[in-house]
Amino acid sequence: MLEIINNTKRTTTNKPLVYGAFEKTDTLAIDAKLDDELKELIKKEQISFKLGKINKIFTFGKISHDVLYLIGLGKKEEYSYEQLEESLREVNYKLGDELHFDLASFSLGLNDEEVAKRIVQTIGIYNYHYDECLSEKTTNQLKLKFISEHNLKSALEEALWLVTAIDNTRDLVNKPYNYLSASDLAEYALHLCASLEDDKVTARIYNKQEIADLGMGAFLGVNKGSTAEPKLIHLVYQNGSQKPIALVGKGLMYDTGGYSLKQSMNNMKDDMAGAATVLGVFELVVKKQMPINLQLIICATDNRINGEALLPDDVLTAMNKKTIEIVSTDAEGRLTLADAVCFAQKQGCGEVIDIATLTGAVVVALGEYTTGLFGNDQKAIKQMLEAGKKANEEIWELPINDHIRKQVRSSKVADLTNSTGRTMGASSGAAFIEAFIDKPTKWMHLDIAGTSFHTSPARKEPYGATGVMVKTLYQYLLNQ
Ligand code: BES
Ligand code: MN
Ligand code: ZN
C-alpha cells in the first residue's frame, strides 16, 4: 500500500510535489521557478499555511510536477515533530498515487531522518482503510518519494516496518468475529512467525486440554459458554542475556458480556485489540533484531453464552490456585489476564506488560485519545510515559491504592472478586491483575478500551481500529 523511495536528485516527473511552508511565509524558494506567482497568491490571501492546510497549485508546465501541494506547517516558533505529524493528517492517496516530498522544506530545525520517518509513519497511518468485506475496493496505493541530500534508507525502512505492523494490528482488530476466531488468531500468529524466518523465534499454541493441564481455570471459565475452542498463544524471541520481558495481550475475540449480558455490545469485536497490538510489536522487534528476550502471551477466547456458560456466583480457580468469585461475567478480561500473567511469570519473565481493552471506566475517565497506565514500578512507568511522548501517543498514569486493593479482596466466598461496583472501575481492573503479580516482577498495565477503536474519528483518522500503542511499546522496548 505504501512504497518509499529516496531520491537525491530532482527528477523530471509530472507527479505532485509536496512542499511544507510556515505561517507568515511570504517567499518560497520554489517560487523562483514559478515566476513569483506564489508570492502574489500569498499577498492576496488566496493560500495560507495554517497547520494542516493543503493548498493545491497547478504549475502549468513551469516545473515538471503538474501539481504542487503546499502544506501548512503552522507557527514556525512552535514547530516540532508533533506539529509536523498534525500537518499531514489529510495527506493520503486522495492527493495522488505518487507524492514527491521536498524533505528540506519540512525539516527546518529538526532532524532530516526523523522527519522522513514521521512523514512515512503519519501518512501510512492516515492512509489506511479496511475494505475486506466491501464488494467495492478502494485502491489506496500510495508511493512516497523523498527529494533529499540525506541517506534515508534505514530510517525509511524502519518507518515502513512500523506502518506495516500497525496496519496488521488494525486489520486484526477490524475483522468481525466471524472472520477471526481464537483458532484463526492462533493460525495468524503461527503464520507471522513462519514469515519472519528467524530461528530465534519459536511458537507454541496450547489447545483446550493443554490449557486445562496448565491449571488455567480462570481463562477456561470465560470460554465455558463458547462453542469455539480457546487457544493459548505463546511466542518467544530470544536474542538477549536478560530475563525475558512478557507482552500479554487481552484476546477476547468477542465480548457479549456472558450472562451479565451487555445491553449494547456493538464493536466488541475490538476486545482482542491488546492481542493484536502485541502481535504487531512482536513483528517489529524481530524485524529490528532487538537485542532482547521477549515473550508474547495471549489467552484467546470469546465470551458467549450457552447452557454451559459461566454464571455469576461461580467461583473459579486460577493457575496460581487463587480463587475468584464471579460477580459479573462481563468482567472477563481480567480473568484471562490473571492466568496469562501467571503463565508469564512461570516462564521466568522478569517484567510483564499487559495491554487490554479492559474497562468502560477508563473511557469515561480519559476518553478516546488517552490510554490509561498502571504499574508497580515508578521507573518503568516513567519510561513508558516517555516512550508514549516520543511516539506521539497520549498516556496518563492512574492509581492503584490500598482502598481498591482491599475491595478486590472483599469477597466472602473466594480470595478475590472480579467486580467491585461503580467507582474506580479502571483501577479495580488493574488491582485485580496486580493480585496475580508476585514480587519482584515488574508489571505495567495499559487500558486501551477507549483508544483502540474509533467509531467517530475526531482527528481525521480512519474509522475503526487505531493500532494504538504499537509505536509506544516499540519505542519502550528500543530503550531497554
Ligand atoms: N471489554 C469490556 C470493556 C470495554 C468497554 C472495551 C468499552 C471497549 C469499550 C470489558 O470486558 C468489560 O465489559 N468491562 C466491564 C467491567 C465491569 C463489569 C466490572 C465494564 O467496564 O463495564
Ligand atoms: Mn466484558
Ligand atoms: Zn471484555
Side-chain angles (χ1 to χ4, degrees):
M1 166 226 98
L2 194 67
E3 192 185 322
I4 46 184
I5 297 159
N6 183 15
N7 269 345
T8 47
K9 284 186 229 82
R10 281 184 193 277
T11 48
T12 50
T13 171
N14 63 346
K15 298 287 183 185
L17 176 66
V18 185
Y19 207 93
F22 293 102
E23 272 176 36
K24 297 201 175 122
T25 300
D26 46 21
T27 42
L28 293 160
I30 186 104
D31 215 5
K33 292 181 195 147
L34 297 170
D35 303 334
D36 286 336
E37 290 196 27
L38 294 176
K39 210 173 185 167
E40 282 304 304
L41 291 174
I42 294 169
K43 222 191 271 166
K44 291 184 196 147
E45 293 181 13
Q46 277 165 337
I47 57 177
S48 94
F49 305 129
K50 274 207 299 243
L51 190 60
K53 175 91 197 286
I54 301 175
N55 304 280
K56 184 175 186 177
I57 314 282
F58 293 97
T59 62
F60 298 111
K62 288 179 184 168
I63 57 175
S64 70
H65 308 275
D66 288 342
V67 166
L68 168 66
Y69 287 114
L70 289 174
I71 310 292
L73 298 179
K75 295 199 168 66
K76 194 172 179 177
E77 334 56 276
E78 290 168 13
Y79 197 50
S80 60
Y81 293 113
E82 290 74 24
Q83 196 169 321
L84 164 69
E85 290 192 9
E86 180 116 19
S87 77
L88 296 167
R89 286 196 178 148
E90 285 178 294
V91 178
N92 56 33
Y93 65 96
K94 290 172 190 156
L95 301 191
D97 59 359
E98 184 176 314
L99 301 174
H100 290 238
F101 278 78
D102 182 289
L103 189 62
S105 69
F106 287 91
S107 58
L108 206 102
L110 304 176
N111 174 282
D112 283 86
E113 280 189 36
E114 184 67 21
V115 168
K117 215 153 117 182
R118 300 275 180 144
I119 290 175
V120 171
Q121 273 172 32
T122 309
I123 295 179
I125 290 167
Y126 282 86
N127 191 55
Y128 173 86
H129 79 141
Y130 175 72
D131 62 4
E132 185 177 10
C133 312
L134 290 171
S135 41
E136 217 166 295
K137 314 280 182 204
T138 310
T139 44
N140 58 342
Q141 288 295 329
L142 180 59
K143 273 189 203 170
L144 302 182
K145 296 200 179 183
F146 289 88
I147 304 159
S148 165
E149 255 96 72
H150 296 262
N151 181 2
L152 306 171
K153 197 168 175 283
S154 68
L156 294 179
E157 184 180 48
E158 190 179 6
L160 200 53
W161 287 343
L162 260 157
V163 172
T164 306
I166 290 170
D167 284 358
N168 287 341
T169 295
R170 294 200 284 190
D171 279 348
L172 289 172
V173 176
N174 280 328
K175 278 180 201 287
Y177 174 75
N178 65 334
Y179 281 59
L180 191 78
S181 65
S183 300
D184 297 330
L185 188 71
E187 228 162 79
Y188 172 89
L190 289 178
H191 192 263
L192 173 70
C193 288
S195 73
L196 290 167
E197 292 183 356
D198 188 329
D199 54 17
K200 297 186 285 307
V201 172
T202 48
R204 178 164 176 198
I205 309 295
Y206 294 74
N207 64 22
K208 189 170 178 176
Q209 185 55 53
E210 292 165 323
I211 294 165
D213 294 342
L214 287 168
M216 291 183 153
F219 175 25
L220 284 178
V222 177
N223 179 257
K224 269 180 80 184
S226 177
T227 47
E229 266 232 12
K231 297 285 177 192
L232 166 61
I233 302 169
H234 183 212
L235 310 186
V236 177
Y237 168 73
Q238 265 179 302
N239 194 27
S241 49
Q242 308 282 330
K243 274 189 171 185
I245 300 174
L247 289 181
V248 173
K250 174 174 171 181
L252 259 291
M253 308 311 296
Y254 201 89
D255 180 14
T256 68
Y259 273 111
S260 312
L261 198 63
K262 283 188 183 295
Q263 286 191 359
S264 160
M265 65 187 75
N266 295 75
N267 300 314
M268 276 302 146
K269 64 175 185 181
D270 142 73
D271 219 16
M272 36 60 73
T277 305
V278 297
L279 284 163
V281 177
F282 190 82
E283 172 183 340
L284 281 168
V285 167
V286 178
K287 284 185 177 164
K288 181 78 177 165
Q289 292 286 297
M290 279 192 204
I292 58 170
N293 290 330
L294 183 69
Q295 299 209 7
L296 203 125
I297 295 140
I298 298 166
C299 288
T301 177
D302 41 302
N303 183 23
R304 301 175 82 178
I305 38 179
N306 63 16
E308 298 293 322
L310 188 66
L311 292 170
D313 299 348
D314 280 355
V315 174
L316 298 175
T317 303
M319 188 178 180
N320 68 352
K321 301 285 184 274
K322 282 195 182 166
T323 57
I324 305 159
E325 178 190 1
I326 303 305
V327 172
S328 169
T329 62
D330 198 10
E332 84 299 333
R334 63 199 73 185
L335 300 173
T336 65
L337 291 168
D339 277 338
V341 301
C342 286
F343 182 84
Q345 292 168 99
K346 249 201 159 148
Q347 295 292 320
C349 296
E351 179 173 355
V352 177
I353 303 169
D354 80 74
I355 172 154
T357 46
L358 201 69
T359 66
V362 85
V363 194
V364 175
L366 300 178
E368 299 200 314
Y369 292 91
T370 307
T371 294
L373 170 65
F374 303 82
N376 66 4
D377 185 286
Q378 275 310 312
K379 202 176 139 209
I381 286 174
K382 198 165 160 261
Q383 286 175 357
M384 188 63 81
L385 291 171
E386 276 164 12
K389 255 210 156 74
K390 182 109 200 272
N392 202 7
E393 295 186 310
E394 202 170 323
I395 303 175
W396 201 262
E397 189 194 351
L398 293 170
I400 304 175
N401 56 31
D402 285 340
H403 170 69
I404 198 70
R405 288 192 182 99
K406 224 158 133 187
Q407 282 200 20
V408 164
R409 290 164 177 78
S410 65
S411 166
K412 304 248 180 337
V413 298
D415 301 336
L416 296 158
T417 173
N418 82 329
S419 175
T420 58
R422 270 177 48 77
T423 60
M424 286 186 87
S427 298
S428 167
F432 183 91
I433 303 166
E434 187 200 50
F436 292 85
I437 302 291
D438 299 317
K439 276 193 177 127
T441 307
K442 278 202 271 179
W443 163 75
M444 279 185 281
H445 160 63
L446 289 157
D447 194 335
I448 53 168
T451 49
S452 61
F453 197 91
H454 288 168
T455 49
S456 4
R459 298 189 182 174
K460 315 248 158 66
E461 72 277 24
Y463 170 91
T466 62
V468 73
M469 290 298 119
V470 172
K471 280 196 286 176
T472 296
L473 286 169
Y474 176 67
Q475 188 61 47
Y476 176 82
L477 294 174
L478 264 184
N479 294 345
Q480 294 311 297

